[in-house]
Amino acid sequence: MDERTALGLVGDRLPAAGDDAAVVDGQVLTTDMLHDRTDFPAGTTRYTAGWRAVGASLSDVAAMGADATAVVAVYAAPAFEELELADFLDGASDVCEAVGAEYVGGDLDGHQEFTVATTALGETDDPVLRSGAAPGDAVCVTGTLGRSGAALRLFERGDEHGDGERGDGVRSDDERDDGEHGHVERSDCERANALFQFEPRVTAGRVLAEHATAMMDSSDGLARSLHQLAEASDCGFAVESPLPIDDVVDDVATDPDDRLELGVFFGEDFELVCTIPPAALSTIRERSPVAVTRIGTVVESGVTLDGDPLPDRGFTHGE
């Protein structure tokens, strides 16, 4: 069975499951697992792997409208290389610091494939679930879409050009200087690593939580997230162009259909998809540290883009 079928089985056995994180006595708890083969393309640094793996769990905390408090991780690899492990720890610690959380350790294990399992903890007295959207609510998304899809293309291009070997940590704010001539343009893999180092929307999630009726992150892509929200809330969505697709997508997309694929279906962007009363939108935009774009309206049934059915397609393990 694929991931969605497996999740359905889990949901049938565990009725409390189904949102981005579990809620236990005012705390939210979530866990994720990322693998070298499926989640870290050639050229991904250990710093980026640490940032991204921990960031994925922090994004789930953000989707619940919670404050992030702490993260632990399991680091498993064929061998423990000092520089690789140090870079991983730096990336994991830095993404926690970016959202006011703390990376507090975890476990080490030997494994034939580099694998990371992360667990994040957060706090909230009023979590936002996926199940509260109502017709008439505005459908919104934070930030921009398509960055991870564009990053994968850049990783692939960098690998073809020979700059795709895994190396030391590349920070998203790194600068390169050639001395006499000033700034040097980043390689494709450096650009890709920077794009992979997304900032979990914890602060925006707290702002949205004061008004949102439903919310989740877009790790599976905008299209699939909308279908998941629609199922949980027993509603539909009428979504309209233009969508907030990142400009970097235009650098790698081959045509408009490819641009839509990367921006709407690819996933792994870890933005927040939410529904809010339209009257609250201006207040949210004033307070949010990141752009909040209205992309449509909650309707009775169906998920459409510009009047046409939007396929329930996106990132799925096991396909």
Side-chain angles (χ1 to χ4, degrees):
M1 68 180 73
D2 65 15
E3 181 185 30
R4 295 194 73 193
T5 305
L7 286 172
L9 186 153
V10 172
D12 291 340
R13 298 286 186 94
L14 303 173
D19 287 288
D20 287 54
V23 181
V24 183
D25 296 332
Q27 296 183 320
V28 298
L29 182 68
T30 183
T31 190
D32 291 279
M33 182 180 292
L34 281 72
H35 300 275
D36 192 45
R37 181 176 57 84
T38 56
D39 299 293
F40 304 126
T44 305
T45 67
R46 281 292 194 265
Y47 178 89
T48 295
W51 181 294
R52 191 168 181 83
V54 169
S57 288
L58 289 169
S59 181
D60 287 333
V61 172
M64 303 299 290
D67 285 315
T69 55
V71 177
V72 294
V74 177
Y75 178 102
F80 298 132
E81 302 290 344
E82 181 178 354
L83 291 179
E84 289 183 347
L85 180 57
D87 280 340
F88 176 90
L89 294 173
D90 284 345
S93 297
D94 285 352
V95 70
C96 285
E97 183 178 349
V99 300
E102 186 177 5
Y103 183 64
V104 293
D107 193 18
L108 299 173
D109 194 10
H111 195 274
Q112 61 184 5
E113 179 184 16
F114 173 53
T115 300
V116 183
T118 57
T119 299
L121 186 68
E123 295 180 343
T124 178
D125 294 328
D126 190 18
V128 183
L129 308 182
R130 298 180 180 183
S131 54
D137 285 346
V139 187
C140 299
V141 63
T142 60
T144 57
L145 306 170
R147 295 186 314 281
S148 287
L152 181 61
R153 296 284 176 85
L154 290 170
F155 276 126
E156 292 170 347
R157 197 160 71 186
D159 196 31
E160 291 173 359
H161 294 166
D163 65 344
E165 295 183 3
R166 302 177 193 277
D168 60 2
V170 175
R171 276 68 166 170
S172 60
D173 58 353
D174 274 352
E175 292 184 359
R176 302 177 63 214
D177 194 298
D178 69 357
E180 181 180 356
H181 298 98
H183 181 73
V184 176
E185 187 174 349
R186 288 174 169 177
S187 71
D188 287 330
C189 278
E190 287 173 326
R191 292 176 64 198
N193 274 281
L195 289 168
F196 256 29
Q197 294 165 30
F198 67 93
E199 181 171 336
R201 302 305 190 192
V202 173
T203 303
R206 294 295 297 143
V207 172
L208 288 163
E210 296 181 15
H211 304 279
T213 55
M215 187 157 63
M216 66 179 296
D217 81 356
S218 66
S219 56
D220 292 338
L222 177 63
R224 176 142 294 166
S225 297
L226 291 170
H227 278 276
Q228 289 172 325
L229 283 176
E231 181 178 359
S233 292
D234 191 22
C235 66
F237 298 107
V239 177
E240 298 178 355
S241 299
L243 299 175
I245 296 176
D246 198 282
D247 290 342
V248 70
V249 175
D250 295 324
D251 295 339
V252 299
T254 56
D255 55 41
D257 288 342
D258 192 40
R259 180 177 184 271
L260 189 69
E261 182 71 26
L262 294 175
V264 177
F265 298 105
F266 183 87
E268 297 287 285
D269 286 321
F270 301 99
E271 295 293 350
L272 299 180
V273 184
C274 63
T275 58
I276 60 174
L281 188 54
S282 60
T283 299
I284 288 172
R285 284 173 169 165
E286 289 174 1
R287 297 183 54 203
S288 174
V290 65
V292 176
T293 303
R294 180 173 184 173
I295 61 171
T297 302
V298 181
V299 294
E300 294 290 344
S301 62
V303 180
T304 61
L305 173 60
D306 296 329
D308 295 322
L310 183 65
D312 182 5
R313 184 164 58 80
F315 184 87
T316 302
H317 287 100
E319 288 187 346

